[in-house]
Amino acid sequence: MNADIWKYTRSGFDKNEVITNGNRFLIGNGFIGYRGTMDEWGKDELSAVNLAGIYDQNGDKWREPVNAPNGVFCKILIDRIPMALGETETKEHTQTIDFRRGVHERETDFGKATLKSERLCSMVRHNLIASRLTFKLCEDSRVEIITGIVTDIWDINGPHLFDHAFKTGRVLVVSSKTGELSFPVVVSQAAVYDFPADEVHEMAKTGLYRHISFDGKAGQEYTLALFCAVYSGQKGEQLNKSAEDLVIEAEKLGFCGVLAEHEAAWDALWQNSEVTLEGDDKAQRALNASIYHLHSIAPRHADNLSIPARGLSGQTYKGAIFWDTEIFLFPFFAHTDPALAKNLLRYRIETLPGALKKAKEYGFRGAFYAWESQEGGAEGCSYFNANDIFTRRPLRTYFRDKQIHVSGDIAYAMWHYFALSGDDSLLREGGAEVIFQVARFFISRTHQRVDNGKVELLDVVGPDEYHERVNNSVFTNQMAAFCLENTIKTADYLKGKYPSEYRALMDRLDFKEDLAFCRELLPKIKPQFDPEKIIEQFDGYFDLEDCSLRTVSSRILHKQEYWGSNNGVAAHTQIIKQADVVAMMALFPELFSPEAVRRNWEYYEPRTEHGSSLSACMYALTACRFGRADLAWDHFLKTASIDLTGTSKSWAGEIYIGGTHPAANAGAWLIAVMGFAGLSKQNGRIMLSPCLPEQITRLSFRVIAENGIRKTVTVTHEGYEIQ
Ligand code: BGC
């Protein structure tokens, strides 16, 4: 097999690629995300050690996740000339990410010396980053290495860390506290080298450094290993150990030992999640990259964390959890690693109090989940999510207030965890309560018309964010109907199997009347689909100006102009941001015939800007439902290579929204497995309905089948096998 399917390399240096490369070459282990930057770079190049689950607000700026001080910073000077990419002339330079092993590599020939480094965020020790630098001199020279823990770091809305306390010694330690809630963030560093050198320590304004210097010999290879532990005192971290102990342990193991156990852990992840696409190496590599990113951000160290919309690639989107997790990421984990899928949903159980509070604030009952959820379910979404590029005034957007489908999406995943795995523990450990409280929210959010008795959901935003404050978004109504239906099913199930537990829950939530409402409202709110007609995205959508995407684009006056909100170029037309009706068809396949899907797909696809990375995968998935793998293919490539090409939208108005795209990464898996192979589960059994693109000769993957047993599925143009 071609080795390139596991690696992505870029050669040369282009300063315009620095930010994108930070995303492309990201490494992570679910707790730490380290951007793909050079060892010697700092905040100007957006070097960042992004942490999961810890947030801070500075003044009235947006609340965002905390970046830790960088403990694997390292700059080498040869005869006082820094070996720094972008600063010093280089002869050759390559940067590589190895998807199979989760290792970042760089090799730079600076003329005076060559420098190679390997870096990893340990998949075994989640608090640990390790890096190994190897350099060779061209001629005898004085070498000075500056390494240590940099506290002057990149933040979008920072600074977030204060009261730095420095400790020197064999292990360097910087202890800080977040500004808002005084959470500890402790970073330690150990440096291991086997050449005789002088080492002095410096406490500076920008961090705590070691200066290691010696007279180097031409042609000799020198190696320095750095171990950095980041500790933030959260659940799931190695709490019994200090950051200092953690690096001492790693130091004992040595870089090779740390690397070996890390590679073994990655190998185990790939055993259960690899998807082989034979016939197109580029597509295979893009899919490997996508699955790699999913593993890099999956919180394996904790049982109550979820995955932010930009993963661990930075503070964009405020490090918040969106519907992306439940609708896009959840199926990948549910089919390959149910324990992890369960943990993601546990985050929603733990944050239920936040959702109850939000519903109350808006005058509703039940659970209205945050559109952008931070720790404890706190709403991270502001009232103004874009700026008017011309007036520079903030634009009022209604995602936070009106994108109520998020609650339904969470209940949808909660139910599907049970339906897919048959494991009712999540329902019993709070999942049923989430489902009930979401139903209660929808009940309180509906209006009933006096004239015809119709039950409606008014003034909402569906997945297509360019049309705000619409009535009866069909996606939202269908999701609400599904929630009411599954509330009844969940109640029946618990009542039959665990009667006393059921009674206690019903009493505690005082839910009897709401359950009756569910039965009463369900037939009234459930959208009725005429299989012969195109489904109208919301009331009045068909009356909007029906013009082409090109026409709308031609009206743009500034390339960073926001298309939605009140006056955006798309808002009064039928041009939509992302899959909406088609997304609903993807999520409720049993409701629509292939012909109905085709008809709607053909209507909506040309009217979709695909302005969200969540869009193309829904179109690819549904194209497979009506047998058009050729239509799915381009959307697949676009989705799977999103973080390799780095060409997706980075601005919403003047707001930077760049980073990696977990929902699209998972979308690539969805297309390959649920689209090309047509995987579904019926009554616990896996079923296939393949639609293999001509570019692919063989598709193969492992999934959890009956009774939790893993099976290997192979699809070719001749047929399929499940073993
Ligand atoms: C999309 C949302 C998505 C969010 C985070 C937005 O651009 O419209 O659907 O949840 O990005 O990925």
Side-chain angles (χ1 to χ4, degrees), residues 212-249:
I212 303 166
S213 50
F214 63 99
D215 291 319
K217 292 264 164 275
Q220 168 101 28
E221 199 165 80
Y222 296 97
T223 300
L224 165 76
L226 300 174
F227 301 102
C228 160
V230 183
Y231 169 89
S232 76
Q234 294 180 73
K235 191 172 170 187
E237 288 183 47
Q238 292 172 288
L239 291 183
N240 50 340
K241 299 196 176 146
S242 69
E244 205 164 333
D245 292 343
L246 289 169
V247 288
I248 291 171
E249 249 179 46

Coordinates of all heavy atoms in Angstrom, one line a residue, residues 212-249:
I212 N 20.8 26.5 27.1 CA 21.8 25.3 27.1 C 22.8 25.7 26.1 O 22.4 26.0 24.9 CB 21.0 24.0 26.7 CG1 19.9 23.8 27.7 CG2 22.0 22.9 26.7 CD1 18.9 22.7 27.2
S213 N 24.1 25.7 26.4 CA 25.1 26.1 25.4 C 26.3 25.1 25.4 O 26.6 24.6 26.5 CB 25.5 27.5 25.6 OG 25.8 27.7 26.9
F214 N 26.9 25.0 24.3 CA 28.1 24.1 24.2 C 28.7 24.4 22.8 O 28.2 25.0 21.9 CB 27.7 22.6 24.3 CG 26.8 22.1 23.2 CD1 27.3 21.4 22.2 CD2 25.4 22.3 23.3 CE1 26.4 20.9 21.2 CE2 24.6 21.9 22.3 CZ 25.1 21.1 21.2
D215 N 30.0 23.9 22.7 CA 30.7 24.0 21.4 C 30.4 22.7 20.7 O 30.8 21.6 21.1 CB 32.2 24.1 21.7 CG 32.5 25.5 22.3 OD1 31.8 26.5 21.8 OD2 33.3 25.6 23.2
G216 N 29.7 22.8 19.6 CA 29.3 21.7 18.8 C 30.3 21.3 17.7 O 31.0 22.2 17.2
K217 N 30.2 20.1 17.3 CA 31.2 19.6 16.3 C 30.5 19.4 15.0 O 29.3 18.9 14.9 CB 31.8 18.2 16.8 CG 32.7 18.3 18.0 CD 34.1 18.4 17.5 CE 35.1 18.9 18.6 NZ 35.2 20.3 18.8
A218 N 31.2 19.7 13.9 CA 30.6 19.5 12.6 C 30.3 18.0 12.3 O 31.0 17.1 12.8 CB 31.6 19.9 11.5
G219 N 29.1 17.8 11.7 CA 28.8 16.4 11.3 C 28.2 15.6 12.5 O 27.6 14.5 12.2
Q220 N 28.3 16.0 13.7 CA 27.8 15.3 14.8 C 26.3 15.5 15.0 O 25.8 16.7 14.8 CB 28.5 15.8 16.1 CG 28.0 15.3 17.4 CD 28.8 14.2 17.9 OE1 29.9 14.0 17.7 NE2 28.1 13.3 18.7
E221 N 25.5 14.5 15.3 CA 24.1 14.6 15.5 C 23.8 14.8 17.0 O 24.3 14.1 17.8 CB 23.4 13.4 15.0 CG 21.9 13.7 14.7 CD 21.3 12.6 13.8 OE1 21.0 11.5 14.4 OE2 21.2 12.7 12.6
Y222 N 23.0 15.8 17.3 CA 22.7 16.1 18.7 C 21.2 15.9 18.9 O 20.4 16.4 18.0 CB 23.1 17.5 19.1 CG 24.6 17.7 19.1 CD1 25.2 18.3 17.9 CD2 25.4 17.3 20.1 CE1 26.5 18.5 17.9 CE2 26.8 17.5 20.0 CZ 27.3 18.1 18.9 OH 28.7 18.3 18.8
T223 N 20.8 15.4 20.0 CA 19.4 15.1 20.3 C 18.9 15.7 21.6 O 19.6 15.5 22.6 CB 19.1 13.6 20.2 OG1 19.4 13.1 18.9 CG2 17.6 13.3 20.4
L224 N 17.8 16.3 21.6 CA 17.2 16.9 22.8 C 15.8 16.4 22.9 O 15.0 16.6 21.9 CB 17.3 18.4 22.7 CG 16.5 19.2 23.7 CD1 17.1 19.2 25.0 CD2 16.3 20.7 23.2
A225 N 15.4 15.8 24.0 CA 14.0 15.5 24.1 C 13.3 16.4 25.2 O 13.9 16.7 26.2 CB 13.9 14.0 24.6
L226 N 12.1 16.8 24.9 CA 11.4 17.7 25.8 C 10.1 17.0 26.2 O 9.4 16.5 25.4 CB 11.1 19.0 25.1 CG 12.2 19.9 24.6 CD1 11.7 21.1 23.8 CD2 13.1 20.4 25.8
F227 N 9.8 17.0 27.5 CA 8.6 16.5 28.0 C 7.9 17.6 28.7 O 8.4 18.3 29.6 CB 8.8 15.3 28.9 CG 9.6 14.2 28.3 CD1 11.0 14.1 28.6 CD2 9.0 13.3 27.4 CE1 11.7 13.1 27.9 CE2 9.7 12.3 26.8 CZ 11.1 12.2 27.1
C228 N 6.6 17.8 28.3 CA 5.9 18.9 29.0 C 4.5 18.3 29.5 O 3.8 17.7 28.7 CB 5.6 20.0 27.9 SG 4.3 21.1 28.3
A229 N 4.2 18.6 30.7 CA 2.9 18.1 31.2 C 2.1 19.4 31.5 O 2.6 20.4 32.0 CB 3.1 17.4 32.5
V230 N 0.8 19.3 31.1 CA -0.1 20.4 31.4 C -1.2 19.8 32.3 O -1.8 18.8 32.0 CB -0.8 20.8 30.0 CG1 -1.7 22.0 30.3 CG2 0.2 21.1 29.0
Y231 N -1.4 20.6 33.3 CA -2.4 20.1 34.3 C -3.4 21.2 34.6 O -3.0 22.4 34.8 CB -1.6 19.8 35.6 CG -2.4 19.5 36.8 CD1 -2.8 18.2 37.1 CD2 -2.7 20.5 37.7 CE1 -3.6 18.0 38.2 CE2 -3.5 20.3 38.8 CZ -3.9 19.0 39.1 OH -4.7 18.8 40.2
S232 N -4.7 20.9 34.6 CA -5.6 21.9 34.8 C -6.7 21.5 35.9 O -7.7 22.1 36.0 CB -6.3 22.4 33.6 OG -7.3 21.4 33.2
G233 N -6.4 20.4 36.6 CA -7.2 20.1 37.8 C -8.6 19.6 37.4 O -9.5 19.7 38.2
Q234 N -8.9 19.2 36.2 CA -10.2 18.8 35.8 C -10.4 17.3 36.1 O -9.5 16.5 36.1 CB -10.5 19.0 34.4 CG -10.5 20.5 34.0 CD -10.7 20.5 32.5 OE1 -11.8 20.3 32.0 NE2 -9.7 20.8 31.7
K235 N -11.7 16.9 36.1 CA -12.0 15.5 36.2 C -11.4 14.7 35.1 O -11.3 15.2 33.9 CB -13.6 15.4 36.1 CG -14.1 14.0 36.4 CD -15.7 14.2 36.4 CE -16.3 12.8 36.5 NZ -17.7 12.8 36.3
G236 N -10.8 13.5 35.4 CA -10.3 12.7 34.4 C -8.8 12.9 34.2 O -8.1 12.1 33.6
E237 N -8.2 14.0 34.7 CA -6.8 14.2 34.5 C -6.1 13.3 35.6 O -6.8 12.8 36.5 CB -6.4 15.6 34.8 CG -6.8 16.5 33.6 CD -6.4 17.9 33.9 OE1 -5.2 18.1 34.3 OE2 -7.2 18.9 33.7
Q238 N -4.8 13.1 35.5 CA -4.2 12.3 36.4 C -4.0 13.1 37.7 O -2.9 13.6 38.0 CB -2.8 11.8 35.9 CG -3.1 10.9 34.7 CD -1.8 10.6 34.0 OE1 -1.2 11.4 33.3 NE2 -1.3 9.4 34.2
L239 N -5.1 13.2 38.5 CA -5.1 14.1 39.6 C -4.2 13.8 40.7 O -3.8 14.7 41.5 CB -6.6 14.2 40.1 CG -7.6 14.8 39.2 CD1 -8.9 14.9 39.9 CD2 -7.1 16.2 38.8
N240 N -3.9 12.5 40.8 CA -3.0 12.2 42.0 C -1.5 12.5 41.7 O -0.7 12.4 42.5 CB -3.1 10.7 42.3 CG -3.0 9.9 41.0 OD1 -3.1 10.4 39.9 ND2 -2.6 8.6 41.1
K241 N -1.3 13.0 40.5 CA 0.1 13.3 40.2 C 0.3 14.8 39.8 O -0.6 15.4 39.2 CB 0.5 12.5 38.9 CG 0.4 11.0 39.2 CD 1.1 10.2 38.2 CE 1.0 8.8 38.6 NZ 0.9 7.9 37.5
S242 N 1.4 15.3 40.3 CA 1.6 16.7 39.9 C 2.2 16.8 38.5 O 2.7 15.8 38.0 CB 2.6 17.3 40.9 OG 3.9 16.7 40.7
A243 N 2.2 18.0 38.0 CA 2.7 18.2 36.6 C 4.2 17.8 36.6 O 4.8 17.2 35.7 CB 2.6 19.6 36.2
E244 N 4.8 18.0 37.8 CA 6.3 17.7 37.9 C 6.5 16.1 37.8 O 7.3 15.6 37.1 CB 6.7 18.2 39.3 CG 8.2 18.5 39.3 CD 8.6 19.4 40.4 OE1 7.7 20.2 40.9 OE2 9.7 19.3 40.9
D245 N 5.7 15.4 38.6 CA 5.8 13.9 38.6 C 5.5 13.4 37.2 O 6.2 12.4 36.7 CB 4.7 13.3 39.5 CG 4.9 13.6 40.9 OD1 6.1 14.0 41.3 OD2 4.0 13.4 41.7
L246 N 4.6 14.0 36.5 CA 4.2 13.5 35.2 C 5.4 13.6 34.2 O 5.6 12.7 33.4 CB 3.0 14.3 34.6 CG 1.7 14.1 35.3 CD1 0.7 15.1 34.8 CD2 1.2 12.7 35.0
V247 N 6.1 14.7 34.2 CA 7.3 14.7 33.3 C 8.4 13.9 33.8 O 9.2 13.3 32.9 CB 7.8 16.2 33.0 CG1 6.8 16.9 32.1 CG2 8.2 16.9 34.2
I248 N 8.6 13.7 35.1 CA 9.6 12.8 35.5 C 9.4 11.4 35.1 O 10.3 10.7 34.6 CB 9.8 13.0 37.1 CG1 10.4 14.3 37.4 CG2 10.7 11.9 37.6 CD1 10.4 14.7 38.9
E249 N 8.1 11.0 35.2 CA 7.8 9.6 34.7 C 8.1 9.5 33.2 O 8.6 8.5 32.8 CB 6.2 9.5 34.8 CG 5.8 8.5 35.9 CD 4.3 8.5 35.9 OE1 3.6 8.4 34.9 OE2 3.8 8.5 37.1

